[in-house]
């Protein structure tokens, strides 16, 4: 037979109802295994009705005059426990929200989705920068100071250049005849060597040449000289054939021009400029000033009665 005092003492071990929602029923006590199937099938209120019906039929609980007060106190205590649990959960939630790792997770949740295909990560950007830097360093290593002829010297051949021409010099075994030489010149490619042997030079030229204005010869029976006439005659070549080291064109030194190499009109202009510069240095009138003086003298001779004292021939 159950009495109300026993019911009160076992209150903490018989938390049949921690929520009024059927989706969130939690039981904790020695009767969990018995009550769980009932709670799964019925609502919390119907479970309470069933319990009271059982107590009414099988016990003298309802004979207690103070039953209603005791039951209300039990319900009130259970409600207070639920509210206290909720309050603790809320406080714990605020504390968790202020933790750095919690804020980090929230930040990750609201981070917008980015198309990874079109955006480089910092690591990828760093890798690209490193590759560009290494390629620039490699390019610098591949740029050499020019020889005295504004070209480069290699183990098996050397080449020089002017703005108009490029000259290749290939050492040959002494006494080599022209019939043993291979010299194939095309607009943008050159192949040089000896018959029956791998070519000494074989590759694409830096720029095109005028094939009909090119020639080769053997000098001192031991040196093959090939003259290439450039198609563009105002440009320095950075290399002879593609793939070889480059010339530092900023260090090239053009040959001084000769007046005899200039056309008559250009030569006349240059000579006049040189003459005028020399006259100025000597404090004498330039060619233009001398020409104006001659014109003034002729006018004075033709018109002796006129006053030319204010004449300005500038």
């Amino acid at each position: 037979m159950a009495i109300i005092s026993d019911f009160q003492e076992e209150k903490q071990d018989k938390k049949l109802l921690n929520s009024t929602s059927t989706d969130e029923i939690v039981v904790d006590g020695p009767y969990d295994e018995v009550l769980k199937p009932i709670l799964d099938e019925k609502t919390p209120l119907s479970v309470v009705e069933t319990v009271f019906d059982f107590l009414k039929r099988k016990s003298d609980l309802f004979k207690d005059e103070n039953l209603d007060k005791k039951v209300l106190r039990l319900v009130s205590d259970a409600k207070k426990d639920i509210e206290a649990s909720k309050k603790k959960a809320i406080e714990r939630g605020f504390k968790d929200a202020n933790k750095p790792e919690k804020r980090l997770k929230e930040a990750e949740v609201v981070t917008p989705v980015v198309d990874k295909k079109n955006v480089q990560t910092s690591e990828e950007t760093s890798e690209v920068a490193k590759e560009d830097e290494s390629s620039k360093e490699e390019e610098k290593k591949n740029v050499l100071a020019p020889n005295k002829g504004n070209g480069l010297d290699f183990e098996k051949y050397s080449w020089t250049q002017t703005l108009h021409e490029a000259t290749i010099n290939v050492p040959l075994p002494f006494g080599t005849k022209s019939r043993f030489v291979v010299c194939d010149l095309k607009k943008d490619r050159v192949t040089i060597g000896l018959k029956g042997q791998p070519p000494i030079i074989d590759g694409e030229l830096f720029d095109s040449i005028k094939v009909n204005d090119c020639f080769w010869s053997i000098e001192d029976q031991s040196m093959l000289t090939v003259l290439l006439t450039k198609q563009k005659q105002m440009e320095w070549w950075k290399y002879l054939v593609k793939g070889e080291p480059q010339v530092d064109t900023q260090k090239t030194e053009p040959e001084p021009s000769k007046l005899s190499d200039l056309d008559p009109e250009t030569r006349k202009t240059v000579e006049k400029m040189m003459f005028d510069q020399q006259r100025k240095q000597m404090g004498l009138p330039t060619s233009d000033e001398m020409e104006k003086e001659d014109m003034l003298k002729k006018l004075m001779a033709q018109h002796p009665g006129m006053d030319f004292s204010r004449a300005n021939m500038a």
Side-chain angles (χ1 to χ4, degrees):
M1 180 181 295
I3 58 177
I4 193 67
S5 60
D6 295 335
F7 190 74
Q8 287 176 326
E9 291 174 357
E10 295 176 359
K11 180 185 66 169
Q12 297 299 327
D13 295 333
K14 296 180 180 179
K15 291 184 180 179
L16 300 178
L17 305 175
N18 288 337
S19 172
T20 58
S21 171
T22 56
D23 297 332
E24 197 175 333
I25 297 173
V26 179
V27 292
D28 185 17
Y31 308 114
D32 286 356
E33 297 299 328
V34 177
L35 294 176
K36 185 69 168 65
I38 298 174
L39 292 172
D40 290 341
E41 294 179 2
K42 298 184 178 182
T43 63
L45 186 59
S46 64
V47 171
V48 173
E49 290 176 348
T50 303
V51 171
F52 276 106
D53 180 66
F54 175 80
L55 293 174
K56 183 178 66 175
R57 290 183 292 103
K58 300 295 183 179
S59 72
D60 55 359
L61 175 65
F62 290 94
K63 293 179 182 181
D64 190 344
E65 294 180 357
N66 297 321
L67 176 63
D68 53 346
K69 295 180 180 179
K70 294 178 179 179
V71 171
L72 288 173
R73 187 167 61 252
L74 287 173
V75 173
S76 177
D77 291 344
K79 187 175 181 181
K80 289 179 180 178
D81 289 343
I82 292 173
E83 291 177 352
S85 299
K86 288 182 178 179
K87 187 176 180 180
K88 289 181 180 179
I90 293 171
E91 291 177 353
R92 187 167 57 252
F94 279 121
K95 289 180 180 178
D96 291 342
N98 291 326
K99 291 182 179 179
E101 58 270 18
K102 180 71 175 178
R103 292 197 298 269
L104 180 60
K105 288 182 180 179
E106 291 175 352
E108 291 175 353
V109 171
V110 299
T111 300
V113 178
V114 180
D115 188 358
K116 294 182 179 179
K117 293 181 180 179
N118 298 327
V119 179
Q120 287 184 327
T121 63
S122 58
E123 292 181 0
E124 290 174 344
T125 304
S126 178
E127 283 296 324
V128 171
K130 287 180 181 178
E131 288 178 4
D132 291 343
E133 211 171 297
S134 64
S135 64
K136 288 180 181 178
E137 289 180 359
E138 191 67 29
E139 189 175 340
K140 287 181 180 179
K141 290 179 181 178
N142 203 36
V143 176
L144 304 176
N147 56 22
K148 292 181 179 180
N150 296 322
L152 291 174
D153 298 326
F154 299 108
E155 183 180 355
K156 295 184 178 180
Y157 70 96
S158 65
W159 68 281
T160 59
Q161 66 173 322
T162 63
L163 288 173
H164 305 286
E165 301 168 340
T167 302
I168 306 171
N169 295 306
V170 182
L172 299 175
F174 185 80
T176 300
K177 304 297 182 182
S178 59
R179 62 176 179 272
F180 297 116
V181 173
V182 175
C183 187
D184 185 15
L185 304 178
K186 295 181 180 178
K187 182 180 179 181
D188 53 4
R189 191 177 185 86
V190 61
T191 302
I192 298 173
L194 296 174
K195 291 183 179 178
Q197 297 183 20
I200 298 172
I201 304 173
D202 184 18
E204 182 180 346
L205 292 167
F206 175 80
D207 207 342
S208 57
I209 58 175
K210 299 178 181 179
V211 179
N212 294 333
D213 295 337
C214 301
F215 64 88
W216 61 273
S217 63
I218 297 177
E219 299 178 2
D220 300 330
Q221 301 184 44
S222 60
M223 181 69 71
L224 174 64
T225 301
V226 183
L227 179 67
L228 306 177
T229 303
K230 296 179 179 179
Q231 190 78 36
K232 299 176 184 177
Q233 300 201 341
M234 292 303 292
E235 182 180 7
W236 293 111
W237 283 10
K238 292 183 179 181
Y239 55 81
L240 179 67
V241 292
K242 191 174 181 179
E244 70 179 14
Q246 297 185 15
V247 176
D248 187 352
T249 54
Q250 294 182 353
K251 297 182 179 180
T252 53
E253 297 180 1
E255 293 181 353
S257 301
K258 297 179 182 178
L259 291 176
S260 58
D261 295 336
L262 303 175
D263 60 89
E265 186 176 351
T266 305
R267 179 177 176 178
K268 184 178 179 180
T269 302
V270 173
E271 287 177 341
K272 179 178 179 297
M273 291 173 61
M274 293 173 65
F275 174 78
D276 289 341
Q277 186 177 6
Q278 188 177 10
R279 298 280 293 181
K280 281 183 178 180
Q281 290 176 352
M282 297 172 63
L284 300 174
T286 62
S287 57
D288 290 338
E289 293 171 344
M290 292 170 63
E291 186 177 351
K292 290 176 182 178
E293 288 179 2
D294 291 340
M295 289 177 61
L296 182 59
K297 288 178 181 179
K298 288 180 181 179
L299 286 172
M300 292 174 66
Q302 292 175 359
H303 307 280
M306 293 182 65
D307 182 12
F308 290 93
S309 60
R310 297 183 181 182
N312 185 6
M313 302 296 292

